[in-house]
Amino acid sequence: MRSCPTLAAYGRLYCALPRRFVSLSFTSLRRHNSAPFLNFSLFTAFRSPFSRMEQFQTGTGSTGNKAMVENLKRFGVISSKKVSEVMEALDRGLFVPVGSSAYADTPLPIGYNATISAPHMHATCLLLLEDKLQPGMRALDVGSGTGYLTGCFALMVGAEGRVVGVDHIPELVDMSIKNVEKSVAGPLLQKGSLSLHVGDGRKGWKEFAPYDAIHVGAAASEVPQALLDQLKPGGRMVIPVGTYFQELKVIDKCEDGSIKARTETSVRYVPLTSRDEQTGGF
């Protein structure tokens, strides 16, 4: 049976079913004048089995992390041996706030009006970028947050590759460095093949461009030109695009520099914006 694409909305997972099965309504949840979240309501009969994954959490530490990965494999989210190995090696529990449900398949708040994506979204992005995360390649993670996905990228490209994480919240960058240091990706940080920086990710990070892979962890109203410019010919970018209605875009730059884009699935991310707009000026 072919699995249908999933979408994350208001912290819950549903199957991206045909429009006639889906009713959309806006839930009036406003924080710091942010846009209301979309509340996707589906008829009970068409609820995806992915909705049960949110409840799944077994054990702690490496035990809980392994169970999380096995669950993602069981539901068909992870189909790559390499992605499975990387997500199993890098303990998600080291990259979420203390006391959080680290291994449940749900996004989690990390402070500063930011979130860490649900594990199924991390797996999806790793699968989409896997061919551009081969040993020795270069990757840019925009909106690197707590450093989890940046660390996954680093494990995939290895010590001869180069991975750069950028976030405009200094406190999150400091946190991400400490998180990575405690993880299996720590030696790559010490070696310098993985680095985390404070900056406006919408402008990319020119120092190590061009990149084979670019991941953006927040929704842009349109694809930033600076990121397209820093994408290597033959490279790929995965970026959520939209405001109220968002789509996960897969953007490939051809060898002649032309751009091809397609939509992978519907998603819900926090907006890609300035530091002041994200934090409310604090």
Side-chain angles (χ1 to χ4, degrees), residues 134-138 154 156-163 188 191 193-194:
Q134 298 301 309
M137 289 185 170
R138 295 190 173 199
M156 293 186 78
V157 304
E160 302 307 316
R162 181 77 204 195
V163 174
L188 297 172
K191 177 180 173 61
S193 54
L194 164 60

Side-chain angles (χ1 to χ4, degrees), residues 116-264:
I116 179 173
S117 294
H120 82 278
M121 283 308 306
H122 285 148
T124 296
C125 292
L126 286 169
L127 287 166
L128 290 171
L129 291 170
E130 182 176 9
D131 289 345
K132 312 302 178 183
L133 293 170
Q134 298 301 309
M137 289 185 170
R138 295 190 173 199
L140 173 66
D141 187 18
V142 174
S144 48
T146 64
Y148 175 76
L149 200 58
T150 322
C152 288
F153 291 163
L155 293 180
M156 293 186 78
V157 304
E160 302 307 316
R162 181 77 204 195
V163 174
V164 177
V166 181
D167 202 290
H168 55 201
I169 306 295
E171 293 86 352
L172 286 179
V173 174
D174 290 342
M175 180 195 304
S176 67
I177 291 172
K178 293 175 182 177
N179 293 341
V180 170
E181 287 175 339
K182 294 182 292 185
S183 78
V184 70
L188 297 172
L189 184 68
Q190 295 173 359
K191 177 180 173 61
S193 54
L194 164 60
S195 59
L196 296 146
H197 307 270
V198 177
D200 187 342
R202 296 171 297 182
K203 299 177 181 179
W205 196 263
K206 289 184 178 180
E207 182 180 358
F208 301 108
Y211 299 98
D212 298 280
I214 296 179
H215 167 264
V216 182
S221 56
E222 59 184 23
V223 181
Q225 185 61 46
L227 298 183
L228 289 173
D229 293 342
Q230 292 176 36
L231 186 63
K232 183 179 180 179
R236 170 172 286 186
M237 182 192 314
V238 173
I239 177 173
V241 178
T243 51
Y244 294 119
F245 300 97
Q246 300 172 4
E247 296 177 326
L248 190 66
K249 297 288 187 181
V250 178
I251 299 174
D252 292 306
K253 180 180 278 191
C254 302
E255 294 294 342
D256 62 3
S258 60
I259 299 295
K260 293 183 179 179
R262 65 177 176 85
T263 297
E264 177 68 16

Side-chain angles (χ1 to χ4, degrees), residues 10 23-30 35-41 243-245 268:
Y10 191 32
S23 63
L24 303 181
S25 62
F26 287 97
T27 301
S28 181
L29 293 175
R30 295 179 179 271
F37 284 90
L38 274 176
N39 179 23
F40 288 77
S41 299
T243 51
Y244 294 119
F245 300 97
R268 185 60 175 165

